């Protein structure tokens, strides 16, 4: 018997996990699991629910239990994939040999017939001297814990004189600045952004509501401030103004992850891989046949809108949308190859003009935009919780998802983190 053809998904984030689950489901319906193997690769053993990391980064060590926090954010792949014909490999991607159709991992190698790159993104420090060395990130669970410890240690050392800077006025920066000020209202929290207005690209009405909330909490906002250099306790901006800090949190940007060997793909902003309408990787140089089997989704890929020359936003909703489309296109290719269909009916990606969003801003308060409606306060905070529950329902059986969601909700309420 010939060996199974391999569909390899690199990265178990929002897009990668959804792609693996959908491809397996479609292959099962077509009774093709004897001929095709689905392999999910991630360097960690658990899927991270990153929208909650800002809360992890603002929990005192006294009030929190590391194990409970871990259970709220990390969902183990082997649990999520139980009963599914998906092989999970915990390993780190080193490089991809495109011509040979092989993925080189730290501990092994994987041949592939179809490849989905869903590696997410890493921090982008824009070559600013000292930015990486003297800042804390909240990009992962472990980093969020270290940031939390640094902020709380600064508070214990300096009390109300503690100074926290948040570099980057996007959604993550706004969330963490508000949450820190809600957690430790006596300390100084300053939000910096290089644009003239924080939350660039968001609705002006929503931005106004966010700014009002931040100022009520006591967060200082410095917009139009571009960082030139970071030293152990001070940053220097383009206007020569220096700002001192005890803790500097970096939320200013992301880029495609660095691998040990460059990949032969065309690149876009932030070194992200350029992708076509079908979400295929765009090759740099000769178009090898294997390129027709290589896709990129989520933050690692960059799909540019022709009419505006702007990339699709780096959102979980976009990654999930792209995962669903990639799943369909791969299955359409397989159906034609297996003689199930005469033609391959591939779809092209068409992102929405505007995506709904919820920005939590400390306590039971958030700002949300859904279609033409922009609202804030408790109702938006409730919506945030419902969004989290809806996502869990796509990963777990109903009752398990409900228990997981309720456990997290009750944990935060009981510890008075949302009051």
């Amino acid at each position: 018997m010939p060996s199974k053809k391999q569909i390899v998904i690199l990265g178990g984030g929002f897009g990668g996990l959804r792609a693996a689950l959908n491809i397996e489901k479609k292959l099962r319906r077509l009774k093709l699991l004897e001929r095709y193997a689905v392999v999910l690769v991630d360097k960690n053993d658990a899927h991270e629910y990153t929208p909650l990391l800002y809360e992890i980064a603002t929990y005192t060590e006294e009030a929190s239990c590391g194990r409970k926090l871990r259970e709220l954010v990390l969902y183990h792949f082997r649990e999520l994939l139980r009963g599914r014909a998906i092989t999970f490999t915990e390993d780190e991607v080193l490089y991809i040999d495109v011509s040979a159709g092989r993925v080189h991992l730290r501990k092994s190698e994987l041949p592939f017939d179809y490849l989905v790159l869903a590696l997410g993104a890493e921090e982008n420090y824009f070559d600013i001297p000292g930015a990486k060395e003297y800042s804390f990130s909240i990009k992962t669970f472990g980093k969020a814990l270290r940031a939390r410890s640094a902020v709380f240690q600064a508070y214990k050392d300096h009390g109300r004189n503690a100074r926290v800077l948040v570099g980057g006025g996007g959604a993550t920066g706004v969330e963490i600045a508000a949450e820190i000020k809600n957690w430790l209202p006596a300390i100084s929290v300053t939000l910096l952004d290089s644009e003239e207005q924080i939350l660039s690209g968001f609705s002006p009405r929503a931005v106004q509501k966010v700014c009002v909330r931040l100022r009520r909490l006591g967060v200082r906002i410095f917009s139009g401030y571009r960082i030139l250099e970071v030293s152990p306790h001070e940053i220097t901006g383009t206007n020569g103004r220096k700002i001192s800090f005890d803790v500097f949190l970096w939320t200013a940007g992301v880029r495609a992850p660095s691998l040990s060997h460059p990949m032969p793909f065309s690149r876009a902003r932030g070194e992200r891989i350029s992708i076509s309408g079908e979400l295929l990787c765009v090759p740099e140089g000769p178009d090898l046949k294997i390129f027709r089997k290589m896709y990129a989704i989520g933050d690692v890929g960059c799909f540019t809108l022709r009419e505006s020359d702007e990339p699709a936003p780096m959102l979980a909703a976009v990654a999930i949308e792209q995962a669903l489309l990639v799943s369909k296109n791969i299955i359409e290719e397989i159906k034609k190859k297996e003689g199930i269909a005469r033609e391959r009916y591939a779809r092209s990606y068409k992102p929405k003009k505007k995506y709904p969003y919820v920005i939590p801003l400390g306590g039971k308060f958030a700002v949300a935009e859904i279609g033409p409606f922009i609202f804030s306060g408790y109702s938006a905070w409730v919506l945030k919780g419902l969004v989290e529950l809806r996502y869990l329902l796509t990963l777990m059986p109903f009752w398990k998802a409900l228990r997981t969601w309720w456990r997290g909700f009750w944990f935060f309420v009981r510890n008075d983190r949302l009051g």
Side-chain angles (χ1 to χ4, degrees):
M1 291 289 291
S3 59
K4 292 183 180 182
K5 294 188 179 297
Q6 299 251 93
I7 304 170
V8 177
I9 298 102
L10 303 181
F14 290 106
L17 180 58
R18 176 50 46 195
L21 292 170
N22 266 53
I23 291 170
E24 190 270 351
K25 184 178 180 180
K26 292 175 183 290
L27 289 173
R28 186 181 296 275
R29 286 179 178 174
L30 294 170
K31 303 187 185 316
L32 289 175
L33 288 174
E34 294 298 318
R35 293 179 53 78
Y36 292 85
V38 181
V39 181
L40 178 64
V41 179
D42 197 279
K43 63 182 179 181
N44 301 307
D45 65 350
H47 171 72
E48 287 193 348
Y49 186 66
T50 53
L52 282 182
L53 291 179
Y54 77 95
E55 295 198 69
I56 301 302
T58 55
Y59 239 92
T60 65
E61 295 177 9
E62 288 84 353
S64 66
C65 169
R67 181 178 177 183
K68 287 185 178 180
L69 289 178
R70 191 176 295 274
E71 290 174 352
L72 298 180
V73 176
L74 303 179
Y75 312 129
H76 290 280
F77 286 115
R78 300 194 192 281
E79 284 287 323
L80 295 176
L81 302 178
R82 183 172 293 170
R84 301 273 195 161
I86 299 173
T87 301
F88 171 66
T89 299
E90 184 183 348
D91 208 341
E92 183 180 0
V93 179
L94 296 180
Y95 68 97
I96 300 164
D97 188 336
V98 173
S99 58
R102 300 185 74 84
V103 178
H104 291 256
L105 306 172
R106 188 167 296 280
K107 294 180 282 190
S108 61
E109 292 182 16
L110 273 176
F112 65 87
D113 297 278
Y114 298 91
L115 183 69
V116 179
L117 293 169
L119 293 167
E122 64 185 22
E123 298 86 349
N124 188 354
Y125 295 98
F126 305 103
D127 297 321
I128 297 173
K132 182 177 181 179
E133 292 81 1
Y134 303 119
S135 68
F136 291 88
S137 165
I138 59 168
K139 196 77 176 64
T140 66
F141 179 79
K143 290 177 179 180
L145 288 180
R146 288 192 287 274
R148 179 196 68 179
S149 296
V151 171
F152 195 58
Q153 187 62 49
Y155 174 66
K156 288 195 293 186
D157 290 344
H158 305 290
R160 62 185 302 108
N161 295 318
R163 301 156 301 177
V164 175
L165 293 186
V166 180
T172 303
V174 165
E175 290 168 5
I176 191 67
E179 201 66 29
I180 290 173
K181 195 63 177 175
N182 186 62
W183 168 33
L184 300 170
I187 72 173
S188 167
V189 178
T190 303
L191 179 65
L192 308 174
D193 195 69
S194 61
E195 301 291 335
E196 291 304 314
Q197 177 67 65
I198 63 170
L199 296 173
S200 175
F202 285 73
S203 164
R205 284 176 54 215
V207 174
Q208 183 181 20
K209 289 179 179 291
V210 170
C211 288
V212 169
R213 171 65 174 177
L214 290 176
R215 291 190 175 106
R216 284 180 179 171
L217 287 171
V219 175
R220 294 191 299 170
I221 302 172
F222 287 173
S223 55
Y225 185 97
R226 188 176 297 276
I227 300 170
L228 284 181
E229 185 178 1
V230 183
S231 62
H233 292 286
E234 189 177 67
I235 62 170
T236 304
T238 47
N239 56 7
R241 182 173 183 179
K242 297 179 184 293
I243 303 176
S244 299
F245 63 85
D246 297 299
V247 179
F248 182 35
L249 302 179
W250 184 265
T251 64
V254 294
R255 52 170 290 154
S258 304
L259 301 182
S260 60
H261 290 250
M263 294 185 288
F265 306 130
S266 177
R267 298 296 179 134
R269 299 182 188 183
E271 290 299 303
R272 297 165 67 196
I273 297 168
S274 297
I275 50 180
S276 69
E278 293 182 23
L279 304 182
L280 288 158
C281 297
V282 176
E284 189 178 57
D287 188 352
L288 302 175
K289 188 176 180 181
I290 192 67
F291 273 107
R292 297 298 304 169
K293 310 289 180 65
M294 301 180 67
Y295 299 81
I297 61 176
D299 292 351
V300 74
C302 184
F303 177 82
T304 303
L305 303 171
R306 289 183 181 178
E307 58 271 21
S308 64
D309 197 34
E310 286 293 320
M314 300 169 77
L315 300 172
V318 171
I320 293 170
E321 274 184 358
Q322 293 178 345
L324 298 178
L325 187 140
V326 160
S327 303
K328 178 173 177 56
N329 286 349
I330 289 176
I331 293 297
E332 286 297 316
E333 177 82 18
I334 290 172
K335 283 165 67 176
K336 182 182 177 184
K337 184 168 290 188
E338 295 293 328
I340 298 172
R342 290 186 179 182
E343 299 293 333
R344 174 180 178 266
Y345 296 101
R347 289 185 181 178
S348 292
Y349 179 58
K350 295 180 181 179
K352 298 174 183 175
K353 291 184 178 179
K354 184 178 289 188
Y355 287 85
Y357 59 83
V358 182
I359 301 176
L361 293 165
K364 298 185 180 72
F365 190 100
V367 172
E369 180 173 5
I370 302 178
F373 304 104
I374 296 175
F375 53 101
S376 61
Y378 180 74
S379 58
W381 174 78
V382 170
L383 178 62
K384 169 184 172 287
L386 295 177
V387 169
E388 292 166 3
L389 174 59
R390 182 179 177 224
Y391 179 68
L392 291 176
L393 288 170
T394 68
L395 299 183
M396 308 172 185
F398 177 81
W399 289 111
K400 183 175 181 180
L402 192 60
R403 285 195 303 270
T404 301
W405 176 81
W406 177 253
R407 187 169 62 241
F409 174 80
W410 182 242
F411 180 79
F412 290 124
V413 169
R414 185 181 58 192
N415 285 287
D416 198 31
R417 286 292 293 112
L418 297 174

